Amino acid sequence: MIIKYLDLNAINDSYGQPIIDAANSVIKSGWYLHGSETEAFEREWGDYCNAKFAIGVGNGLDGLKLVLQAWKIMYGWKEGDEVIVPTNTFIATALAVSQVGLKPVFCDVNQEDALICTDENYLQNLVNERTRCVIPVHLYGQIANLQKIYNFAEKFNLQVLEDACQAHGAKYNYKGQRTCVYSFYPGKNLGALGDGGCVTTDNQEVAELVRSLANYGQKTKYVHDYQGFNSRLDEIQAAILRVKLRHLDDDNKRRIEIADFYQNNLPGDKKLNFQNDGSHVYHIYPYITDNRTKLQEFLKENGIETQIHYPIPCHKQKAYSSYSNVNLTNAEYLADHELSLPNSQILTDEQAEYVVKTISKYFVLNDDYVK
Ligand SMILES: *Cc1c(COP(=O)(O)O)cnc(C)c1O
């Protein structure tokens, strides 16, 4: 049996003709940017996320940059002002901060769920008079503890930007105003057939400023209030996303089913703790194990593709070499022990069982697991 980590071809095939029809009708319409498909998708995505406003953008990184730039303008943040970022994330979260002239302050993650550390004493120690914002990343598809993060932010007068690029459709029970960024990179739970992203927010001023900044800083054509960016969700991607959005809840349900099966049946005593209240949509199923290299090799020999998210935390990347003396032990542990197993809406029961069986076999053969 061969199990790909993520079979995008098969996934997109599963939506059938409607995707092709959606793209075709845009091609034939002669209108490719800033049109009715993008507008309709923004409305539908905003509704789906319970957000007052949704602004389609070019990708997830742009979405993060645009919100930070908007806040920089709105609140008069200065170059080098600080933003707290969990180090166990895709590099985009940190790059967005750096690229708008702010400074990422890397923080550790919780040992039990790999999400941004919610120990208040720890977080408080990262705050100084230049701290402006905190970015919880809903890593692997699970919503971070929003109540704790927003309480902390309120106490120190910080903005909260949720990096929801892995958490499309994850349920949350926080009641206040939120600003979130999504990516529709092809491999995400809701993926385009190219690049795409969206900013959702309950704040009208943020919405208007992000929209303007994404469109060269203009609100009226050729009148530029800001030195903006060019960042657009195009009409073809928006039309395709509208088709796929109709299936997102079902797709997520299947991912959750498989992840629950893994969680309940995989051997090992180092598994992360996950909530099973719909707040985790398992963009990634992370398996924590000693001897990862050997297990990954064994799985490969047995036809199972895996990945690592992420092998190097941001603060240990060469791109952020000034942080190399910082130690963030939980994130570093995860970077050395995490192995992402295949999970998607098209994985069959048989395939998921084969993954579990193969890992169990590995432990029997290698005698390094005691139940
Ligand atoms: C995918 C991702 C991004 C960036 O999305 P792009 O569309 O590739 O720019 C940002 N943050 C996280 C956590 C992601 O997983």
Side-chain angles (χ1 to χ4, degrees), residues 53-87:
F53 307 94
I55 304 100
V57 296
N59 54 62
L61 172 63
D62 279 0
L64 295 166
K65 283 164 67 174
L66 286 159
V67 175
L68 291 169
Q69 184 66 25
W71 283 342
K72 214 175 156 196
I73 294 168
M74 280 167 64
Y75 302 124
W77 295 353
K78 299 279 180 295
E79 295 292 301
D81 279 356
E82 296 185 2
V83 178
I84 298 171
V85 177
T87 188

PDB file of all heavy atoms in Angstrom, residues 53-87:
ATOM      1  N   PHE A  53     -16.605  41.350   8.781  1.00  0.00           N
ATOM      2  CA  PHE A  53     -15.967  41.748   7.518  1.00  0.00           C
ATOM      3  C   PHE A  53     -14.970  40.675   7.073  1.00  0.00           C
ATOM      4  O   PHE A  53     -14.327  40.048   7.913  1.00  0.00           O
ATOM      5  CB  PHE A  53     -15.214  43.072   7.686  1.00  0.00           C
ATOM      6  CG  PHE A  53     -16.073  44.174   8.261  1.00  0.00           C
ATOM      7  CD1 PHE A  53     -16.077  44.416   9.631  1.00  0.00           C
ATOM      8  CD2 PHE A  53     -16.879  44.952   7.437  1.00  0.00           C
ATOM      9  CE1 PHE A  53     -16.878  45.418  10.175  1.00  0.00           C
ATOM     10  CE2 PHE A  53     -17.681  45.955   7.970  1.00  0.00           C
ATOM     11  CZ  PHE A  53     -17.682  46.190   9.343  1.00  0.00           C
ATOM     12  N   ALA A  54     -14.873  40.492   5.765  1.00  0.00           N
ATOM     13  CA  ALA A  54     -13.873  39.573   5.210  1.00  0.00           C
ATOM     14  C   ALA A  54     -13.264  40.232   3.980  1.00  0.00           C
ATOM     15  O   ALA A  54     -13.982  40.767   3.139  1.00  0.00           O
ATOM     16  CB  ALA A  54     -14.511  38.237   4.844  1.00  0.00           C
ATOM     17  N   ILE A  55     -11.936  40.193   3.891  1.00  0.00           N
ATOM     18  CA  ILE A  55     -11.226  40.830   2.783  1.00  0.00           C
ATOM     19  C   ILE A  55     -10.313  39.781   2.142  1.00  0.00           C
ATOM     20  O   ILE A  55      -9.370  39.293   2.776  1.00  0.00           O
ATOM     21  CB  ILE A  55     -10.358  42.022   3.268  1.00  0.00           C
ATOM     22  CG1 ILE A  55     -11.225  43.041   4.012  1.00  0.00           C
ATOM     23  CG2 ILE A  55      -9.657  42.701   2.085  1.00  0.00           C
ATOM     24  CD1 ILE A  55     -11.141  42.948   5.514  1.00  0.00           C
ATOM     25  N   GLY A  56     -10.596  39.443   0.905  1.00  0.00           N
ATOM     26  CA  GLY A  56      -9.747  38.494   0.186  1.00  0.00           C
ATOM     27  C   GLY A  56      -8.392  39.124  -0.100  1.00  0.00           C
ATOM     28  O   GLY A  56      -8.320  40.297  -0.485  1.00  0.00           O
ATOM     29  N   VAL A  57      -7.316  38.350   0.098  1.00  0.00           N
ATOM     30  CA  VAL A  57      -5.961  38.843  -0.162  1.00  0.00           C
ATOM     31  C   VAL A  57      -5.163  37.765  -0.899  1.00  0.00           C
ATOM     32  O   VAL A  57      -5.668  36.671  -1.132  1.00  0.00           O
ATOM     33  CB  VAL A  57      -5.239  39.256   1.151  1.00  0.00           C
ATOM     34  CG1 VAL A  57      -5.950  40.430   1.810  1.00  0.00           C
ATOM     35  CG2 VAL A  57      -5.144  38.080   2.124  1.00  0.00           C
ATOM     36  N   GLY A  58      -3.922  38.091  -1.242  1.00  0.00           N
ATOM     37  CA  GLY A  58      -3.141  37.215  -2.106  1.00  0.00           C
ATOM     38  C   GLY A  58      -2.702  35.901  -1.479  1.00  0.00           C
ATOM     39  O   GLY A  58      -2.590  34.878  -2.154  1.00  0.00           O
ATOM     40  N   ASN A  59      -2.444  35.908  -0.191  1.00  0.00           N
ATOM     41  CA  ASN A  59      -1.990  34.701   0.518  1.00  0.00           C
ATOM     42  C   ASN A  59      -2.013  34.979   2.021  1.00  0.00           C
ATOM     43  O   ASN A  59      -2.321  36.104   2.448  1.00  0.00           O
ATOM     44  CB  ASN A  59      -0.579  34.300   0.046  1.00  0.00           C
ATOM     45  CG  ASN A  59       0.413  35.438   0.175  1.00  0.00           C
ATOM     46  OD1 ASN A  59       0.679  35.932   1.266  1.00  0.00           O
ATOM     47  ND2 ASN A  59       0.947  35.901  -0.949  1.00  0.00           N
ATOM     48  N   GLY A  60      -1.657  33.968   2.805  1.00  0.00           N
ATOM     49  CA  GLY A  60      -1.704  34.123   4.261  1.00  0.00           C
ATOM     50  C   GLY A  60      -0.674  35.114   4.779  1.00  0.00           C
ATOM     51  O   GLY A  60      -0.980  35.945   5.650  1.00  0.00           O
ATOM     52  N   LEU A  61       0.534  35.042   4.254  1.00  0.00           N
ATOM     53  CA  LEU A  61       1.584  35.978   4.693  1.00  0.00           C
ATOM     54  C   LEU A  61       1.133  37.419   4.479  1.00  0.00           C
ATOM     55  O   LEU A  61       1.256  38.261   5.374  1.00  0.00           O
ATOM     56  CB  LEU A  61       2.883  35.706   3.924  1.00  0.00           C
ATOM     57  CG  LEU A  61       4.016  36.712   4.130  1.00  0.00           C
ATOM     58  CD1 LEU A  61       4.488  36.737   5.579  1.00  0.00           C
ATOM     59  CD2 LEU A  61       5.201  36.406   3.208  1.00  0.00           C
ATOM     60  N   ASP A  62       0.585  37.711   3.315  1.00  0.00           N
ATOM     61  CA  ASP A  62       0.089  39.065   3.033  1.00  0.00           C
ATOM     62  C   ASP A  62      -0.987  39.468   4.037  1.00  0.00           C
ATOM     63  O   ASP A  62      -1.013  40.611   4.504  1.00  0.00           O
ATOM     64  CB  ASP A  62      -0.532  39.134   1.629  1.00  0.00           C
ATOM     65  CG  ASP A  62       0.514  39.295   0.538  1.00  0.00           C
ATOM     66  OD1 ASP A  62       1.717  39.352   0.867  1.00  0.00           O
ATOM     67  OD2 ASP A  62       0.120  39.357  -0.640  1.00  0.00           O
ATOM     68  N   GLY A  63      -1.886  38.556   4.331  1.00  0.00           N
ATOM     69  CA  GLY A  63      -2.968  38.864   5.277  1.00  0.00           C
ATOM     70  C   GLY A  63      -2.406  39.313   6.621  1.00  0.00           C
ATOM     71  O   GLY A  63      -2.840  40.320   7.199  1.00  0.00           O
ATOM     72  N   LEU A  64      -1.414  38.584   7.113  1.00  0.00           N
ATOM     73  CA  LEU A  64      -0.795  38.934   8.400  1.00  0.00           C
ATOM     74  C   LEU A  64      -0.121  40.297   8.310  1.00  0.00           C
ATOM     75  O   LEU A  64      -0.266  41.151   9.196  1.00  0.00           O
ATOM     76  CB  LEU A  64       0.230  37.866   8.803  1.00  0.00           C
ATOM     77  CG  LEU A  64      -0.318  36.447   9.091  1.00  0.00           C
ATOM     78  CD1 LEU A  64       0.820  35.423   9.132  1.00  0.00           C
ATOM     79  CD2 LEU A  64      -1.092  36.419  10.408  1.00  0.00           C
ATOM     80  N   LYS A  65       0.623  40.523   7.221  1.00  0.00           N
ATOM     81  CA  LYS A  65       1.323  41.809   7.055  1.00  0.00           C
ATOM     82  C   LYS A  65       0.340  42.971   6.976  1.00  0.00           C
ATOM     83  O   LYS A  65       0.560  44.043   7.554  1.00  0.00           O
ATOM     84  CB  LYS A  65       2.164  41.787   5.764  1.00  0.00           C
ATOM     85  CG  LYS A  65       3.455  41.007   5.901  1.00  0.00           C
ATOM     86  CD  LYS A  65       4.079  40.670   4.562  1.00  0.00           C
ATOM     87  CE  LYS A  65       4.581  41.892   3.815  1.00  0.00           C
ATOM     88  NZ  LYS A  65       5.309  41.460   2.573  1.00  0.00           N
ATOM     89  N   LEU A  66      -0.747  42.757   6.245  1.00  0.00           N
ATOM     90  CA  LEU A  66      -1.712  43.840   6.035  1.00  0.00           C
ATOM     91  C   LEU A  66      -2.363  44.268   7.348  1.00  0.00           C
ATOM     92  O   LEU A  66      -2.539  45.464   7.601  1.00  0.00           O
ATOM     93  CB  LEU A  66      -2.777  43.404   5.022  1.00  0.00           C
ATOM     94  CG  LEU A  66      -2.276  43.373   3.568  1.00  0.00           C
ATOM     95  CD1 LEU A  66      -3.144  42.468   2.701  1.00  0.00           C
ATOM     96  CD2 LEU A  66      -2.229  44.787   2.996  1.00  0.00           C
ATOM     97  N   VAL A  67      -2.716  43.304   8.194  1.00  0.00           N
ATOM     98  CA  VAL A  67      -3.332  43.671   9.473  1.00  0.00           C
ATOM     99  C   VAL A  67      -2.322  44.401  10.358  1.00  0.00           C
ATOM    100  O   VAL A  67      -2.626  45.441  10.953  1.00  0.00           O
ATOM    101  CB  VAL A  67      -3.883  42.433  10.219  1.00  0.00           C
ATOM    102  CG1 VAL A  67      -4.393  42.832  11.596  1.00  0.00           C
ATOM    103  CG2 VAL A  67      -4.986  41.752   9.414  1.00  0.00           C
ATOM    104  N   LEU A  68      -1.099  43.882  10.409  1.00  0.00           N
ATOM    105  CA  LEU A  68      -0.082  44.529  11.246  1.00  0.00           C
ATOM    106  C   LEU A  68       0.203  45.948  10.756  1.00  0.00           C
ATOM    107  O   LEU A  68       0.331  46.890  11.543  1.00  0.00           O
ATOM    108  CB  LEU A  68       1.203  43.692  11.265  1.00  0.00           C
ATOM    109  CG  LEU A  68       1.085  42.345  12.008  1.00  0.00           C
ATOM    110  CD1 LEU A  68       2.308  41.468  11.737  1.00  0.00           C
ATOM    111  CD2 LEU A  68       0.912  42.558  13.512  1.00  0.00           C
ATOM    112  N   GLN A  69       0.261  46.106   9.437  1.00  0.00           N
ATOM    113  CA  GLN A  69       0.507  47.439   8.865  1.00  0.00           C
ATOM    114  C   GLN A  69      -0.669  48.373   9.182  1.00  0.00           C
ATOM    115  O   GLN A  69      -0.466  49.550   9.503  1.00  0.00           O
ATOM    116  CB  GLN A  69       0.721  47.324   7.353  1.00  0.00           C
ATOM    117  CG  GLN A  69       1.078  48.630   6.660  1.00  0.00           C
ATOM    118  CD  GLN A  69       2.444  49.175   7.080  1.00  0.00           C
ATOM    119  OE1 GLN A  69       3.319  48.423   7.509  1.00  0.00           O
ATOM    120  NE2 GLN A  69       2.619  50.489   6.978  1.00  0.00           N
ATOM    121  N   ALA A  70      -1.871  47.835   9.110  1.00  0.00           N
ATOM    122  CA  ALA A  70      -3.065  48.652   9.428  1.00  0.00           C
ATOM    123  C   ALA A  70      -3.002  49.124  10.880  1.00  0.00           C
ATOM    124  O   ALA A  70      -3.242  50.303  11.175  1.00  0.00           O
ATOM    125  CB  ALA A  70      -4.340  47.839   9.182  1.00  0.00           C
ATOM    126  N   TRP A  71      -2.665  48.227  11.781  1.00  0.00           N
ATOM    127  CA  TRP A  71      -2.566  48.606  13.192  1.00  0.00           C
ATOM    128  C   TRP A  71      -1.430  49.586  13.437  1.00  0.00           C
ATOM    129  O   TRP A  71      -1.522  50.476  14.273  1.00  0.00           O
ATOM    130  CB  TRP A  71      -2.403  47.355  14.070  1.00  0.00           C
ATOM    131  CG  TRP A  71      -3.705  46.615  14.256  1.00  0.00           C
ATOM    132  CD1 TRP A  71      -4.962  47.126  14.034  1.00  0.00           C
ATOM    133  CD2 TRP A  71      -3.896  45.257  14.689  1.00  0.00           C
ATOM    134  NE1 TRP A  71      -5.908  46.159  14.304  1.00  0.00           N
ATOM    135  CE2 TRP A  71      -5.285  45.008  14.704  1.00  0.00           C
ATOM    136  CE3 TRP A  71      -3.025  44.230  15.052  1.00  0.00           C
ATOM    137  CZ2 TRP A  71      -5.820  43.783  15.090  1.00  0.00           C
ATOM    138  CZ3 TRP A  71      -3.555  43.016  15.437  1.00  0.00           C
ATOM    139  CH2 TRP A  71      -4.944  42.792  15.457  1.00  0.00           C
ATOM    140  N   LYS A  72      -0.335  49.389  12.694  1.00  0.00           N
ATOM    141  CA  LYS A  72       0.809  50.303  12.816  1.00  0.00           C
ATOM    142  C   LYS A  72       0.338  51.727  12.509  1.00  0.00           C
ATOM    143  O   LYS A  72       0.685  52.683  13.212  1.00  0.00           O
ATOM    144  CB  LYS A  72       1.885  49.871  11.813  1.00  0.00           C
ATOM    145  CG  LYS A  72       3.305  50.088  12.282  1.00  0.00           C
ATOM    146  CD  LYS A  72       4.302  49.523  11.273  1.00  0.00           C
ATOM    147  CE  LYS A  72       5.632  50.219  11.429  1.00  0.00           C
ATOM    148  NZ  LYS A  72       6.504  50.005  10.273  1.00  0.00           N
ATOM    149  N   ILE A  73      -0.467  51.857  11.459  1.00  0.00           N
ATOM    150  CA  ILE A  73      -0.982  53.172  11.072  1.00  0.00           C
ATOM    151  C   ILE A  73      -2.013  53.668  12.093  1.00  0.00           C
ATOM    152  O   ILE A  73      -1.940  54.807  12.571  1.00  0.00           O
ATOM    153  CB  ILE A  73      -1.614  53.101   9.657  1.00  0.00           C
ATOM    154  CG1 ILE A  73      -0.534  52.814   8.608  1.00  0.00           C
ATOM    155  CG2 ILE A  73      -2.374  54.388   9.331  1.00  0.00           C
ATOM    156  CD1 ILE A  73      -1.071  52.431   7.235  1.00  0.00           C
ATOM    157  N   MET A  74      -2.977  52.808  12.435  1.00  0.00           N
ATOM    158  CA  MET A  74      -4.072  53.220  13.326  1.00  0.00           C
ATOM    159  C   MET A  74      -3.576  53.652  14.703  1.00  0.00           C
ATOM    160  O   MET A  74      -4.079  54.605  15.296  1.00  0.00           O
ATOM    161  CB  MET A  74      -5.059  52.054  13.514  1.00  0.00           C
ATOM    162  CG  MET A  74      -6.028  51.872  12.373  1.00  0.00           C
ATOM    163  SD  MET A  74      -6.913  50.270  12.470  1.00  0.00           S
ATOM    164  CE  MET A  74      -7.855  50.463  13.987  1.00  0.00           C
ATOM    165  N   TYR A  75      -2.588  52.898  15.225  1.00  0.00           N
ATOM    166  CA  TYR A  75      -2.167  53.135  16.610  1.00  0.00           C
ATOM    167  C   TYR A  75      -0.810  53.818  16.707  1.00  0.00           C
ATOM    168  O   TYR A  75      -0.281  53.973  17.812  1.00  0.00           O
ATOM    169  CB  TYR A  75      -2.141  51.815  17.388  1.00  0.00           C
ATOM    170  CG  TYR A  75      -3.493  51.121  17.394  1.00  0.00           C
ATOM    171  CD1 TYR A  75      -3.633  49.815  16.935  1.00  0.00           C
ATOM    172  CD2 TYR A  75      -4.644  51.786  17.833  1.00  0.00           C
ATOM    173  CE1 TYR A  75      -4.867  49.180  16.927  1.00  0.00           C
ATOM    174  CE2 TYR A  75      -5.883  51.160  17.819  1.00  0.00           C
ATOM    175  CZ  TYR A  75      -5.989  49.861  17.367  1.00  0.00           C
ATOM    176  OH  TYR A  75      -7.212  49.237  17.347  1.00  0.00           O
ATOM    177  N   GLY A  76      -0.233  54.193  15.571  1.00  0.00           N
ATOM    178  CA  GLY A  76       1.046  54.905  15.597  1.00  0.00           C
ATOM    179  C   GLY A  76       2.201  54.063  16.130  1.00  0.00           C
ATOM    180  O   GLY A  76       3.104  54.587  16.782  1.00  0.00           O
ATOM    181  N   TRP A  77       2.182  52.766  15.852  1.00  0.00           N
ATOM    182  CA  TRP A  77       3.309  51.929  16.273  1.00  0.00           C
ATOM    183  C   TRP A  77       4.567  52.372  15.545  1.00  0.00           C
ATOM    184  O   TRP A  77       4.532  52.805  14.390  1.00  0.00           O
ATOM    185  CB  TRP A  77       3.056  50.460  15.942  1.00  0.00           C
ATOM    186  CG  TRP A  77       1.907  49.837  16.677  1.00  0.00           C
ATOM    187  CD1 TRP A  77       1.172  50.399  17.692  1.00  0.00           C
ATOM    188  CD2 TRP A  77       1.349  48.532  16.452  1.00  0.00           C
ATOM    189  NE1 TRP A  77       0.199  49.510  18.109  1.00  0.00           N
ATOM    190  CE2 TRP A  77       0.288  48.365  17.369  1.00  0.00           C
ATOM    191  CE3 TRP A  77       1.648  47.488  15.584  1.00  0.00           C
ATOM    192  CZ2 TRP A  77      -0.478  47.198  17.424  1.00  0.00           C
ATOM    193  CZ3 TRP A  77       0.897  46.326  15.634  1.00  0.00           C
ATOM    194  CH2 TRP A  77      -0.145  46.184  16.553  1.00  0.00           C
ATOM    195  N   LYS A  78       5.695  52.226  16.237  1.00  0.00           N
ATOM    196  CA  LYS A  78       6.982  52.656  15.682  1.00  0.00           C
ATOM    197  C   LYS A  78       7.787  51.459  15.173  1.00  0.00           C
ATOM    198  O   LYS A  78       7.574  50.329  15.618  1.00  0.00           O
ATOM    199  CB  LYS A  78       7.804  53.364  16.765  1.00  0.00           C
ATOM    200  CG  LYS A  78       7.143  54.624  17.322  1.00  0.00           C
ATOM    201  CD  LYS A  78       7.369  55.816  16.415  1.00  0.00           C
ATOM    202  CE  LYS A  78       6.723  57.088  16.926  1.00  0.00           C
ATOM    203  NZ  LYS A  78       5.246  57.054  16.987  1.00  0.00           N
ATOM    204  N   GLU A  79       8.736  51.748  14.270  1.00  0.00           N
ATOM    205  CA  GLU A  79       9.665  50.709  13.809  1.00  0.00           C
ATOM    206  C   GLU A  79      10.295  50.039  15.033  1.00  0.00           C
ATOM    207  O   GLU A  79      10.710  50.741  15.961  1.00  0.00           O
ATOM    208  CB  GLU A  79      10.789  51.328  12.973  1.00  0.00           C
ATOM    209  CG  GLU A  79      10.347  51.965  11.666  1.00  0.00           C
ATOM    210  CD  GLU A  79       9.836  50.962  10.643  1.00  0.00           C
ATOM    211  OE1 GLU A  79      10.609  50.062  10.287  1.00  0.00           O
ATOM    212  OE2 GLU A  79       8.662  51.090  10.219  1.00  0.00           O
ATOM    213  N   GLY A  80      10.348  48.739  15.008  1.00  0.00           N
ATOM    214  CA  GLY A  80      11.003  48.014  16.100  1.00  0.00           C
ATOM    215  C   GLY A  80      10.089  47.740  17.288  1.00  0.00           C
ATOM    216  O   GLY A  80      10.511  47.102  18.253  1.00  0.00           O
ATOM    217  N   ASP A  81       8.849  48.205  17.251  1.00  0.00           N
ATOM    218  CA  ASP A  81       7.906  47.822  18.307  1.00  0.00           C
ATOM    219  C   ASP A  81       7.708  46.311  18.243  1.00  0.00           C
ATOM    220  O   ASP A  81       7.906  45.684  17.195  1.00  0.00           O
ATOM    221  CB  ASP A  81       6.568  48.560  18.129  1.00  0.00           C
ATOM    222  CG  ASP A  81       6.621  49.984  18.694  1.00  0.00           C
ATOM    223  OD1 ASP A  81       7.658  50.345  19.283  1.00  0.00           O
ATOM    224  OD2 ASP A  81       5.632  50.722  18.526  1.00  0.00           O
ATOM    225  N   GLU A  82       7.296  45.728  19.361  1.00  0.00           N
ATOM    226  CA  GLU A  82       7.421  44.273  19.508  1.00  0.00           C
ATOM    227  C   GLU A  82       6.092  43.522  19.402  1.00  0.00           C
ATOM    228  O   GLU A  82       5.045  44.005  19.839  1.00  0.00           O
ATOM    229  CB  GLU A  82       8.078  43.957  20.855  1.00  0.00           C
ATOM    230  CG  GLU A  82       9.497  44.507  20.914  1.00  0.00           C
ATOM    231  CD  GLU A  82      10.256  44.130  22.177  1.00  0.00           C
ATOM    232  OE1 GLU A  82       9.701  43.404  23.027  1.00  0.00           O
ATOM    233  OE2 GLU A  82      11.417  44.587  22.303  1.00  0.00           O
ATOM    234  N   VAL A  83       6.204  42.346  18.835  1.00  0.00           N
ATOM    235  CA  VAL A  83       5.052  41.466  18.666  1.00  0.00           C
ATOM    236  C   VAL A  83       5.432  40.067  19.170  1.00  0.00           C
ATOM    237  O   VAL A  83       6.448  39.509  18.751  1.00  0.00           O
ATOM    238  CB  VAL A  83       4.634  41.382  17.179  1.00  0.00           C
ATOM    239  CG1 VAL A  83       3.465  40.423  17.000  1.00  0.00           C
ATOM    240  CG2 VAL A  83       4.286  42.769  16.631  1.00  0.00           C
ATOM    241  N   ILE A  84       4.628  39.523  20.062  1.00  0.00           N
ATOM    242  CA  ILE A  84       4.908  38.193  20.617  1.00  0.00           C
ATOM    243  C   ILE A  84       4.400  37.121  19.665  1.00  0.00           C
ATOM    244  O   ILE A  84       3.231  37.132  19.269  1.00  0.00           O
ATOM    245  CB  ILE A  84       4.256  38.044  22.007  1.00  0.00           C
ATOM    246  CG1 ILE A  84       4.848  39.079  22.973  1.00  0.00           C
ATOM    247  CG2 ILE A  84       4.442  36.627  22.542  1.00  0.00           C
ATOM    248  CD1 ILE A  84       4.128  39.167  24.309  1.00  0.00           C
ATOM    249  N   VAL A  85       5.301  36.218  19.286  1.00  0.00           N
ATOM    250  CA  VAL A  85       5.001  35.180  18.290  1.00  0.00           C
ATOM    251  C   VAL A  85       5.460  33.824  18.834  1.00  0.00           C
ATOM    252  O   VAL A  85       6.612  33.702  19.263  1.00  0.00           O
ATOM    253  CB  VAL A  85       5.779  35.469  16.975  1.00  0.00           C
ATOM    254  CG1 VAL A  85       5.549  34.369  15.956  1.00  0.00           C
ATOM    255  CG2 VAL A  85       5.416  36.822  16.399  1.00  0.00           C
ATOM    256  N   PRO A  86       4.604  32.809  18.823  1.00  0.00           N
ATOM    257  CA  PRO A  86       5.085  31.482  19.230  1.00  0.00           C
ATOM    258  C   PRO A  86       6.131  30.991  18.236  1.00  0.00           C
ATOM    259  O   PRO A  86       5.967  31.161  17.022  1.00  0.00           O
ATOM    260  CB  PRO A  86       3.827  30.603  19.197  1.00  0.00           C
ATOM    261  CG  PRO A  86       2.874  31.316  18.299  1.00  0.00           C
ATOM    262  CD  PRO A  86       3.196  32.781  18.383  1.00  0.00           C
ATOM    263  N   THR A  87       7.202  30.409  18.729  1.00  0.00           N
ATOM    264  CA  THR A  87       8.302  30.021  17.852  1.00  0.00           C
ATOM    265  C   THR A  87       8.011  28.740  17.084  1.00  0.00           C
ATOM    266  O   THR A  87       8.616  28.466  16.063  1.00  0.00           O
ATOM    267  CB  THR A  87       9.610  29.885  18.659  1.00  0.00           C
ATOM    268  OG1 THR A  87      10.684  29.680  17.748  1.00  0.00           O
ATOM    269  CG2 THR A  87       9.545  28.707  19.636  1.00  0.00           C
TER     270      THR A  87
END
